[in-house]
Amino acid sequence: MNTLMNEELQDFIQKYDLYGCVQCGRCTGGCPVTVRTNLNVRRFVYNSLDQSMLEDLAKLPEIWDCTACNTCAVRCPKGLKPVEVLMGLRNILVVDQGVVQPTVRDALESVFLEGNPWSKPRKTRSDWMEGLEVRIAEPGEKVENLIFVCCTVAYDPRVQILAKNLVKLLNKAGVDYGFVGDDEACCASEVHHLGEEDLFMEMVEGNTELLNEFNAERIVTISPHCFSTFKNQYPSLKPKVIHYTQLIAELLEAQKLSFDREFSGKIVFHDPCFLGKQNGVFDEPRAILKQIPGVEVVEFERKRERSLCCEGGGGKMWVETESKKERLAETRARDAGELGADILAVACPFCVLTLDDAIKAKGLEEQLRVAEILEIIGDLVE
Amino acid sequence: MNNKPKIGVYVCHCGVNIARTVDVEAVREFASRLPNVKVVRNYAYMCSDPGQLLIRDDVEKEGLNRIVVASCSPRMHENTFRKTLAAAGLNPYYLEMANIREQCSWVHEDREEATAKAKKLVYAAVAKARLLEPLYEKEVEVEPASLVIGGGIAGIQAALDIANAGFKVYLVEKTPSVGGRMSQLDKTFPTLDCSACILTPKMVDVANHPNIELLAYSQVEDISGYVGNFDVKVRKKARYVDVDKCTGCGICAEECRLKGRIPSEFDMGMGKRSAIYLPFPQAVPAKYTIDPERCLYLTRGKCGKSPKCADACTAGAINFEQQDEIVEFKVGTVIVATGFDTFDPTRKPEYGYADYDNVLTGLELERLVSASGPTGGNIVLGEGENAFVPKDIAFIKCVGSRDKSVGNEYCSRVCCMYTAKLAHLVEEKIPGANVRIYYMDVRAFGKGFEEFYDRVRREGIRYIRGNPSEIFKRGDKLVIKVEDTLAATPLEDEVDMVVLAVGLEPRKDAREIIDILRLSQSADRFYLEAHPKLAPVDTATDGVFLAGCAQGPKDIPDTVAQAKGAASSALVLLSSGKVKIQAQISFINENTCRGCGYCVEICPYGAIELVTISRMGNPVQVGRVNEALCKGCGACAAACFSGSAQQKSFMDRQILPQIAVLGVMR
Ligand SMILES: Cc1cc2nc3c(=O)[nH]c(=O)nc-3n(C[C@H](O)[C@H](O)[C@H](O)COP(=O)(O)OP(=O)(O)OC[C@H]3O[C@@H](n4cnc5c(N)ncnc54)[C@H](O)[C@@H]3O)c2cc1C
Ligand code: SF4
Ligand code: SF4
């Protein structure tokens, strides 16, 4: 049954500039998941031109294999965003056809009701702060750095340490900062990637209003996903948005922060797609790591613009890819192992979760651990 | 002449183009009642011979002294009717046109309204025609010499053509030798002629031609003046070698303490040269040059006990005291043939060019396959013990072309063909090599191109349709991440060598010439021609022409054709010896000018300068228009605060009554 209006279909072509595609294949050529799934994003761009096929395309399982790493969009020579075509198809499936997997439904409902996708109560969002000396920003009052925590960091015990360590570093460096606090709600990056465009727009509106009320010079995010979403998908957000690695690199550079302990080991840094590829932040995380006394920083073969996605984004926390082939995160862990690294460093809570699992799956726990930069440096400061 | 206006108005039907929508008879009737109008006629085609004859007869019989033609756009037929007036013995600038076609009949449907508007336009034209003044075109002499900037194949060809026609040419080349990019190529598509073999004779001709003064290792510093009369200032950089003494023997380079230590620009950094060098064996002029940024003596004031080159030179040509020299001369025309740069692939970091030695550009491979190149024409990668001959070789096309992500939307026009050529040469030099070409389209549009492409494929070169996305290394192999789009199969293709078919870009120093000549750039940032079809070698500045890749990417056949076009355009001016300059230009009333200089800034042609005059014994600054440079665009007149800048035929007192009519009449 055709649930879409003809106009909507026409808009689909316009919205994603489908006629602009020259079928060069750079999108699919660069897509990291092609080594383990059937996803061929170029063919979705091509086939979407046939309006009568859209609804069937939306039902193909591989549209859920996309990790939203954005490689396809970065590489496209004609300025298309093939990844968004997949998100558009997810939207058709989820919103227009109402076909939603239970895990996805729970996540979306939780964002709608509790402001986070983890089915946790809104009122416990700031529980991680207990016992810490945390400054909360007041609407209207001037603050240089408004800190946005991220749902995953706020609730997931594995990564709450990121927020705690950031507080420690900020206090130590005497930074003018304030956390958003209890009213903080999901940036909705994953809502967009799960295809619920209406809810996404609603969240954008609400968050824009909330964040603009603070008199902040800039917003500092812990997760690159919030960073990228605020930066690229919140057109009316007033303050500038930066990632915490940019702030820390700045503090080290200005000598407002320094490391008291050393770490004598090998660290390899994995570029999170939402930080590096999508927003060009490559140097700051490396600058931070290189200042650790005693450290040896090594590089992956596939680094910076050529970094390999860990498959943590694009809603993949809630949708499993059916494939027997090695996960990309496992490839990454294996490569880090071969480099002889002691720490596989990341700057993203999702990367922590996917790579943690990968190291276990590969049985590398003995020689290698995953650590977020905030975890690493939090320990090196008194 | 009795100057009381006697106006003739001629309303054209333009077949049915005007008459279908505008009631031309009503317009005629209306015009006959306007002040100063003596004769009104309408006619099917005013531009035809009989139409023009009507005007001539009326001037003679009725003593008309102003003509209004209500017809098409003045862009179409203003010149036609000006000639009619001249033939009738009237000053051609006593013509005013009312555009009742493009601005009326073609854009309206309602006949009544269109007719009313046509009347209004005719009335306005009549209002202005009463106030027209006669204008006279001036002629200036053309200096019988030409400046050619850039000594690539474009500049060489243009210089030779002009010189062969008997005119003096100054050929200015920035580097120590002429030849440009073509001198770096091994063979040339589609015929596979050896590049040096066809180019070198022309380079030698340039050096020996009695009419050509070759200023190599030189730079244009300033050009002023206007068509026919450009004053040029050129800086001849010090070579620290007396060219009259240097025999080109090369002993100096052999002896240089830095021999084999400096990356050779000609060999794309893969070969090494000395601090005193000849860029390549066939260089013209065959004179050595000391690299002032590398030479030990010039940078540190000391080279061992004494500079070895000077010790070795038996001709005594080395001169460390040499200074830059400024040369000044006058020319009538200028040809800009400054060429291109290749795209810098580090701007596409996904291809790993900066990280991997075995990822090369097409131009680098040209040097590797060239017998005069750093490896003597053997395709060998790596050095010493690690040297090896690659077997699996992939080309990637469209690197830096047709690519919004690096801001180059255009097609570079040569990469498809040079890729085919290089693939053929690789296959020839490495028996058993597996060569594949990754592409998104193959553009083989030129003469003999498609045939060449067919030939190369049949030699066993695989064309795989897909534009690669990424290159990384796995063990010793380079891995190309790409989709074979025809098979809809993502691949990780493992190869030994990748060649990036880098596109052509405007030179990084393109601004220098823009600033000197006030050239414009098109959206692709190459120099802009006056009209893409009908004036492809002209620029907005009269007497300045474009040739070769400076105007846009092109192959050698097109470059040479365009160079010949530019030369012939220059020769039209040089051989006629005179050039007419615009009559409807601006002038500045020096009595009222306040000298603010706003017009000087706004003039796109640099035609106005501030001069000091005496006003009641006091020195004051006023703007003054250079009549030869002014194109009559009127920007100054629009900008002037005091109304001192006025444009002839469009003076305030002429156009305000015209505008008033349009404004008040229903
Ligand atoms: C890898 C590669 C392979 C190619 N193979 C072929 C082929 O096989 N067949 C073919 O037909 N075409 C080929 N081409 C295209 C060919 O190189 C060009 O068509 C040709 O070189 C254009 O000549 P040009 O004189 O316009 O520019 P250029 O060759 O760039 O010459 C410009 C000259 O101007 C000089 N110059 C620049 N600025 C100034 C200044 N301000 N003052 C003074 N001098 C200045 C430069 O030093 C240079 O000498 C190839 C191109 C590339 C990149
Ligand atoms: S990279 Fe862009 S132009 Fe090329 S096939 Fe994909 S969407 Fe089309
Ligand atoms: S966003 Fe990444 S995973 Fe998704 S289609 Fe594009 S390249 Fe593939």
Side-chain angles (χ1 to χ4, degrees):
Chain A
M1 195 196 65
N2 199 339
T3 50
L4 292 180
M5 311 286 287
N6 200 28
E7 248 166 75
E8 271 181 87
L9 294 165
Q10 268 300 340
D11 284 354
F12 201 87
I13 293 179
Q14 293 281 318
K15 185 167 176 194
Y16 302 115
D17 189 22
L18 298 182
Y19 285 125
C21 171
V22 285
Q23 291 295 309
C24 69
R26 259 193 219 168
C27 46
T28 295
C31 177
V33 301
T34 56
V35 295
R36 60 186 303 262
T37 83
N38 286 332
L39 177 62
N40 183 332
V41 66
R42 175 189 59 80
R43 301 205 59 191
F44 280 97
V45 173
Y46 184 72
N47 290 335
S48 296
L49 273 170
D50 180 351
Q51 305 178 17
S52 64
M53 276 178 75
L54 276 186
E55 302 200 299
D56 291 336
L57 290 174
K59 292 190 184 105
L60 293 175
E62 60 260 36
I63 66 169
W64 294 96
D65 292 339
C66 169
T67 67
C69 69
N70 254 38
T71 308
C72 50
V74 174
R75 302 277 163 77
C76 176
K78 298 294 170 187
L80 273 75
K81 296 192 171 108
V83 50
E84 294 302 328
V85 175
L86 299 177
M87 298 311 135
L89 291 171
R90 289 183 186 180
N91 183 51
I92 289 176
L93 186 75
V94 170
V95 176
D96 296 305
Q97 303 179 355
V99 183
V100 200
Q101 303 176 47
T103 45
V104 172
R105 175 176 316 118
D106 291 349
L108 292 172
E109 245 170 43
S110 168
V111 171
F112 181 66
L113 296 172
E114 301 294 343
N116 74 77
W118 297 115
S119 305
K120 299 280 179 185
R122 200 185 281 274
K123 60 179 190 305
T124 63
R125 189 171 183 107
S126 298
D127 283 4
W128 63 270
M129 293 183 184
E130 224 172 272
L132 295 177
E133 195 190 306
V134 184
R135 255 175 274 158
I136 308 292
E138 290 293 330
E141 252 173 51
K142 219 173 146 50
V143 58
E144 201 180 318
N145 300 289
L146 181 66
I147 315 289
F148 189 91
V149 175
C150 163
C151 307
T152 309
V153 174
Y155 293 108
D156 191 316
R158 167 67 183 87
V159 284
Q160 277 177 346
I161 182 77
L162 309 190
K164 293 181 183 168
N165 280 0
L166 183 60
V167 171
K168 176 174 170 190
L169 295 167
L170 294 175
N171 285 343
K172 166 115 196 212
V175 174
D176 175 13
Y177 76 88
F179 279 70
V180 176
D182 290 342
D183 291 337
E184 190 181 291
C186 182
C187 72
S189 168
E190 292 305 90
V191 174
H192 173 65
H193 294 132
L194 291 172
E196 231 302 11
E197 211 42 29
D198 296 345
L199 178 57
F200 175 67
M201 298 312 284
E202 215 171 283
M203 297 299 291
V204 170
E205 209 174 296
N207 280 331
T208 303
E209 201 178 311
L210 171 78
L211 295 170
N212 281 347
E213 265 173 29
F214 294 93
N215 186 1
E217 229 162 82
R218 55 190 189 179
I219 296 172
V220 183
T221 74
I222 295 182
S223 168
H225 292 257
C226 314
F227 168 59
S228 188
T229 310
F230 286 152
K231 209 170 145 223
N232 304 311
Q233 291 184 285
Y234 277 63
S236 308
L237 195 61
K238 280 191 213 134
K240 187 179 156 195
V241 186
I242 64 167
H243 184 245
Y244 83 83
T245 51
Q246 296 176 296
L247 172 61
I248 301 286
E250 204 179 281
L251 295 174
L252 288 166
E253 169 85 26
Q255 296 184 344
K256 288 189 181 153
L257 197 65
S258 60
F259 299 125
D260 305 312
R261 290 189 207 100
E262 63 174 49
F263 172 83
S264 47
K266 242 191 209 179
I267 299 185
V268 64
F269 178 66
H270 161 83
D271 288 280
C273 301
F274 280 70
L275 190 62
K277 231 172 229 159
Q278 295 184 28
N279 293 294
V281 180
F282 295 111
D283 295 330
E284 289 88 340
R286 290 177 168 78
I288 297 170
L289 293 172
K290 282 187 183 143
Q291 292 200 36
I292 297 175
V295 79
E296 183 188 350
V297 179
V298 293
E299 290 281 4
F300 279 116
E301 185 63 46
R302 304 176 74 173
K303 58 174 195 269
R304 299 174 69 98
E305 291 89 349
R306 296 186 283 120
S307 176
L308 182 65
C309 173
C310 78
E311 290 184 270
K316 299 303 295 170
M317 290 288 156
W318 297 276
V319 189
E320 188 61 35
T321 289
E322 303 291 332
S323 166
K324 299 214 163 51
K325 304 227 177 85
E326 185 176 72
R327 288 168 200 273
L328 302 182
E330 288 169 14
T331 311
R332 222 43 183 161
R334 188 159 49 79
D335 288 347
E338 279 165 20
L339 283 168
D342 302 296
I343 294 183
L344 170 48
V346 297
C348 167
F350 283 175
C351 293
V352 173
L353 302 176
T354 52
L355 291 166
D356 251 354
D357 287 349
I359 284 182
K360 280 181 209 134
K362 287 269 139 189
L364 289 165
E365 302 103 307
E366 297 288 294
Q367 71 172 95
L368 178 66
R369 69 182 166 101
V370 178
E372 224 278 355
I373 289 183
L374 282 172
E375 270 180 282
I376 304 173
I377 61 175
D379 284 348
L380 304 177
V381 173
E382 297 285 342
Chain B
M1 185 189 289
N2 172 5
N3 236 345
K4 186 163 160 27
K6 285 192 203 143
I7 305 176
V9 178
Y10 298 86
V11 185
C12 185
H13 300 194
C14 194
V16 293
N17 272 301
I18 294 171
R20 185 195 294 129
T21 326
V22 171
D23 182 347
V24 281
E25 178 50 30
V27 177
R28 192 201 64 78
E29 199 275 325
F30 167 80
S32 66
R33 289 184 275 118
L34 294 173
N36 302 96
V37 171
K38 187 116 193 266
V39 177
V40 191
R41 296 183 197 284
N42 51 35
Y43 188 71
Y45 292 103
M46 278 310 297
C47 59
S48 67
D49 281 348
Q52 295 185 49
L53 206 61
L54 284 177
I55 299 178
R56 285 171 63 171
D57 282 351
D58 287 344
V59 170
E60 197 181 314
K61 294 191 187 123
E62 308 283 340
L64 302 181
N65 56 12
R66 304 281 195 284
I67 303 296
V68 170
V69 182
S71 58
C72 50
S73 158
R75 287 213 78 151
M76 202 63 210
H77 277 309
E78 191 169 52
N79 252 334
T80 314
F81 294 117
R82 276 195 191 146
K83 285 188 192 137
T84 312
L85 265 67
L90 277 184
N91 183 288
Y93 292 89
Y94 277 138
L95 171 73
E96 186 63 26
M97 292 188 72
N99 181 354
I100 59 169
R101 192 177 75 175
E102 284 85 343
Q103 291 178 357
C104 188
S105 71
W106 276 0
V107 289
H108 298 298
E109 279 168 11
D110 186 296
R111 190 171 164 88
E112 207 165 302
E113 282 184 347
T115 304
K117 179 168 169 186
K119 287 180 186 170
K120 215 175 196 184
L121 290 168
V122 169
Y123 190 3
V126 168
K128 182 180 169 194
R130 281 197 298 253
L131 305 163
L132 288 174
E133 288 173 8
L135 301 179
Y136 303 93
E137 288 162 4
K138 286 188 192 156
E139 271 186 348
V140 294
E141 303 268 321
V142 174
E143 182 73 28
S146 194
L147 165 68
V148 176
I149 310 175
I153 182 59
I156 290 174
Q157 187 60 53
L160 287 173
D161 280 10
I162 295 172
N164 285 338
F167 294 93
K168 170 99 188 168
V169 178
Y170 299 90
L171 175 57
V172 177
E173 165 59 46
K174 205 171 206 176
T175 67
S177 171
V178 293
R181 296 288 176 200
M182 187 177 167
S183 63
Q184 291 177 283
L185 308 180
D186 181 44
K187 304 256 167 57
T188 53
F189 65 74
T191 45
L192 296 176
D193 318 65
C194 146
S195 190
C197 312
I198 55 176
L199 177 64
T200 313
K202 284 190 188 275
M203 292 165 56
V204 174
D205 284 353
V206 160
N208 295 338
H209 205 293
N211 286 342
I212 298 181
E213 185 166 337
L214 174 56
L215 299 161
Y217 207 45
S218 300
Q219 244 164 293
V220 177
E221 296 249 298
D222 186 50
I223 298 178
S224 58
Y226 47 89
V227 55
N229 297 275
F230 293 105
D231 293 302
V232 185
K233 203 161 145 195
V234 172
R235 173 179 297 271
K236 272 178 88 170
K237 288 177 280 185
R239 284 180 187 255
Y240 305 100
V241 170
D242 185 336
V243 289
D244 295 330
K245 292 185 185 156
C246 175
T247 61
C249 71
I251 295 180
C252 50
E254 280 301 316
E255 293 298 318
C256 174
R257 278 179 225 276
L258 295 177
K259 183 182 171 205
R261 305 261 288 275
I262 300 168
S264 147
E265 295 81 359
F266 184 77
D267 280 335
M268 305 306 293
M270 295 181 299
K272 302 281 188 289
R273 61 167 170 84
S274 305
I276 183 163
Y277 68 109
L278 197 62
F280 54 103
Q282 303 90 336
V284 167
K287 307 288 178 189
Y288 277 73
T289 305
I290 296 183
D291 180 343
E293 269 147 38
R294 302 295 190 135
C295 167
L296 295 172
Y297 191 81
L298 287 172
T299 51
R300 302 189 195 158
K302 199 167 178 303
C303 170
K305 273 209 193 81
S306 66
K308 283 190 120 185
C309 53
D311 294 347
C313 181
T314 48
I318 311 286
N319 174 8
F320 286 108
E321 305 305 316
Q322 206 176 61
Q323 299 286 323
D324 288 2
E325 202 185 315
I326 300 292
V327 191
E328 294 187 59
F329 49 87
K330 225 176 157 72
V331 295
T333 60
V334 179
I335 292 178
V336 178
T338 47
F340 65 96
D341 275 342
T342 46
F343 174 78
D344 171 7
T346 60
R347 277 165 54 204
K348 287 192 75 66
E350 61 267 32
Y351 288 156
Y353 176 78
D355 297 331
Y356 306 130
D357 289 342
N358 302 348
V359 178
L360 313 185
T361 67
L363 203 50
E364 286 166 350
L365 184 60
E366 291 279 355
R367 295 314 302 144
L368 268 193
V369 293
S370 165
S372 72
T375 55
N378 297 314
I379 306 173
V380 183
L381 299 175
E383 270 168 49
E385 274 180 24
N386 296 325
F388 74 105
V389 176
K391 278 274 178 253
D392 283 298
I393 296 157
F395 287 81
I396 299 181
K397 295 212 293 188
C398 295
V399 178
S401 311
R402 307 175 63 197
D403 191 342
K404 257 191 186 166
S405 73
V406 292
N408 292 345
E409 293 194 39
Y410 56 88
C411 163
S412 290
R413 293 175 57 113
V414 298
C415 331
C416 277
M417 281 297 121
Y418 84 57
T419 300
K421 168 189 73 178
L422 288 169
H424 161 86
L425 294 175
V426 167
E427 192 75 39
E428 195 175 71
K429 300 221 166 198
I430 308 177
N434 294 317
V435 181
R436 51 270 210 188
I437 296 177
Y438 287 105
Y439 72 102
M440 51 177 167
D441 293 295
V442 176
R443 296 187 168 170
F445 50 84
K447 191 167 176 167
F449 287 13
E450 182 69 16
E451 295 89 327
F452 184 68
Y453 166 46
D454 281 343
R455 167 182 164 185
V456 167
R457 270 191 343 271
R458 292 210 166 87
E459 284 170 357
I461 287 166
R462 268 204 73 191
Y463 274 74
I464 303 175
R465 193 185 178 284
N467 205 309
S469 199
E470 196 168 300
I471 295 175
F472 59 92
K473 213 164 182 177
R474 190 182 283 146
D476 291 339
K477 293 281 188 178
L478 293 167
V479 180
I480 303 178
K481 249 180 89 52
V482 59
E483 184 199 8
D484 178 341
T485 59
L486 297 181
T489 309
L491 307 170
E492 291 195 350
D493 188 13
E494 299 198 348
V495 298
D496 303 315
M497 172 167 106
V498 177
V499 184
L500 306 177
V502 288
L504 274 49
E505 281 199 316
R507 286 179 62 99
K508 280 167 210 70
D509 59 9
R511 269 238 75 86
E512 284 174 18
I513 299 295
I514 291 179
D515 292 342
I516 291 174
L517 279 169
R518 288 182 172 244
L519 296 179
S520 305
Q521 290 164 290
S522 34
D524 57 14
R525 310 182 315 284
F526 286 96
Y527 297 147
L528 177 67
E529 63 282 351
H531 187 283
K533 287 154 204 132
L534 303 179
V537 302
D538 305 62
T539 66
T541 310
D542 289 338
V544 177
F545 305 99
L546 301 174
C549 292
Q551 180 259 344
K554 51 181 72 67
D555 54 29
I556 297 166
D558 285 0
T559 296
V560 171
Q562 200 186 23
K564 286 182 156 288
S568 108
S569 298
L571 283 170
V572 169
L573 288 167
L574 297 175
S575 56
S576 84
K578 284 195 167 61
V579 53
K580 271 203 180 132
I581 54 174
Q582 278 265 20
Q584 288 177 321
I585 53 172
S586 293
F587 66 96
I588 292 172
N589 182 343
E590 297 189 353
N591 293 322
T592 56
C593 172
R594 299 188 298 198
C596 69
Y598 197 47
C599 53
V600 177
E601 270 170 52
I602 221 147
C603 175
Y605 304 99
I608 307 182
E609 58 180 353
L610 286 180
V611 296
T612 307
I613 60 162
S614 162
R615 194 180 282 160
M616 299 198 277
N618 302 316
V620 289
Q621 287 220 308
V622 295
R624 187 172 286 168
V625 177
N626 180 330
E627 302 201 335
L629 285 182
C630 174
K631 294 233 166 181
C633 73
C636 55
C640 180
F641 293 109
S642 64
S644 309
Q646 293 286 323
Q647 191 192 347
K648 292 177 186 170
S649 282
F650 297 90
M651 292 187 282
D652 288 353
R653 62 186 165 77
Q654 295 170 321
I655 59 174
L656 289 177
Q658 181 182 21
I659 295 167
V661 167
L662 291 173
V664 294
M665 211 193 90
R666 288 233 154 239

